[in-house]
Amino acid sequence: MSPLKTTVISLCLLAACDQTPPIVVEDNLPVDDPRQQALVLSECAIYFAAVTKIEADGGTVAGNPTKDCPVEARARAADINPMVSVPPVTPGYPQTLYQRMIARGIPTAMATDISKSKAFWDLVAQRDSAYANF
């Protein structure tokens, strides 16, 4: 194999490694604001609960959904089971959060179920409340 071909393949492999998007810090809240920290913990709790559920079901996790999550989020309860009656995922933050779950490696079917969960809608409400009081 030519050195150029080896270099190109190596660069492609490196580019494909761990493309997990970072936890998004809300632009309008200071990083050290307790509301910001609570939002990150709540979102990460969802990721930890999803990973636990995937592994409990005998599956393997694609990517690294909990990348950059604070370890204390692992101990936080997150009810990711779908509720019976839920609003549809709407444009704005709910859609962004749904897409971010998929981008971080949560399977689409599970992300759809999580988007119908108490944890998901509690996080949406928590974010709306943080902005209402900002």
Side-chain angles (χ1 to χ4, degrees), residues 38-52:
L39 290 170
V40 169
L41 283 175
S42 294
E43 184 174 344
C44 286
I46 290 172
Y47 298 139
F48 278 114
V51 168
T52 299

Side-chain angles (χ1 to χ4, degrees), residues 61-101:
V61 180
N64 185 4
T66 60
K67 179 184 177 199
D68 299 328
C69 284
V71 177
E72 56 269 22
R74 181 185 308 255
R76 195 170 222 198
D79 182 358
I80 61 169
N81 295 310
M83 297 183 295
V84 175
S85 177
V86 293
V89 173
T90 55
Y93 184 69
Q95 182 66 35
T96 300
L97 180 57
Y98 173 77
Q99 292 298 329
R100 193 159 54 225
M101 286 189 296

Side-chain angles (χ1 to χ4, degrees), residues 26 39 43 46-47 86-103 111-117 119-128 131:
E26 298 297 326
L39 290 170
E43 184 174 344
I46 290 172
Y47 298 139
V86 293
V89 173
T90 55
Y93 184 69
Q95 182 66 35
T96 300
L97 180 57
Y98 173 77
Q99 292 298 329
R100 193 159 54 225
M101 286 189 296
I102 294 168
T112 299
D113 283 349
I114 292 172
S115 73
K116 299 173 186 173
S117 73
F120 182 92
W121 289 103
D122 282 353
L123 176 55
V124 170
Q126 183 181 10
R127 180 186 176 273
D128 290 348
Y131 277 105

